[in-house]
Amino acid sequence: MKVRLRVKEVAKAKGLSMTRLHTKSEVAYNTIRRIFHDPYVEVTTTTLARLAEALNVRVEDLIETVDEEEPEPPQKTRSRVKAQGKRQQVHLSSPSDLISSAEQREQTEGECTIP
């Protein structure tokens, strides 16, 4: 079982941005940003207490437990310049995708021009 923080959902429901929550709670902006982007990040009880007070909720309202299922890893993307000068998003789901992407670049390398 994992602990998931519900700070982002509660803040949005109360109409608070990350900046406003940072100001009200006196929790570092980078910590709040990290919590918003990764709700499974570990934080101190002091941080949770400050956030709960700023959001006017109980600490228990900021925490939920979820089954330990492995979430699907986010896809990595890279931009590359196509021969026409437009950027193309390349989705990489495995190291072999990176290798095949590099091979494609080598094949078209002489044809590409960068404006």
Side-chain angles (χ1 to χ4, degrees):
M1 200 170 286
K2 284 186 168 185
V3 174
R4 182 181 177 282
L5 301 176
R6 299 187 61 246
V7 176
K8 181 178 182 179
E9 294 91 337
V10 174
K12 288 198 184 257
K14 297 204 175 247
L16 290 177
S17 65
M18 287 191 289
T19 303
R20 184 72 180 123
L21 184 56
H22 155 68
T23 304
K24 284 186 76 173
S25 66
E26 296 181 356
V27 171
Y29 181 82
N30 285 338
T31 301
I32 292 173
R33 188 182 71 210
R34 192 171 56 234
I35 292 169
F36 271 52
H37 293 306
D38 179 11
Y40 297 98
V41 70
E42 292 182 18
V43 296
T44 65
T45 54
T46 303
T47 297
L48 280 176
R50 287 179 178 177
L51 292 170
E53 185 176 335
L55 292 166
N56 199 26
V57 297
R58 298 174 308 154
V59 171
E60 296 85 14
D61 297 331
L62 297 179
I63 299 171
E64 71 179 353
T65 56
V66 293
D67 291 333
E68 187 116 8
E69 293 178 9
E70 285 294 318
E72 186 174 314
Q75 284 190 338
K76 297 177 184 176
T77 60
R78 298 182 83 191
S79 291
R80 67 175 175 172
V81 178
K82 290 176 70 175
Q84 298 88 4
K86 296 180 183 176
R87 292 206 174 267
Q88 173 188 16
Q89 291 294 319
V90 179
H91 296 282
L92 307 172
S93 56
S94 69
S96 63
D97 289 344
L98 181 60
I99 293 167
S100 65
S101 177
E103 288 171 353
Q104 288 175 356
R105 243 190 342 271
E106 286 175 8
Q107 291 173 357
T108 60
E109 194 170 283
E111 302 169 9
C112 292
T113 57
I114 299 176

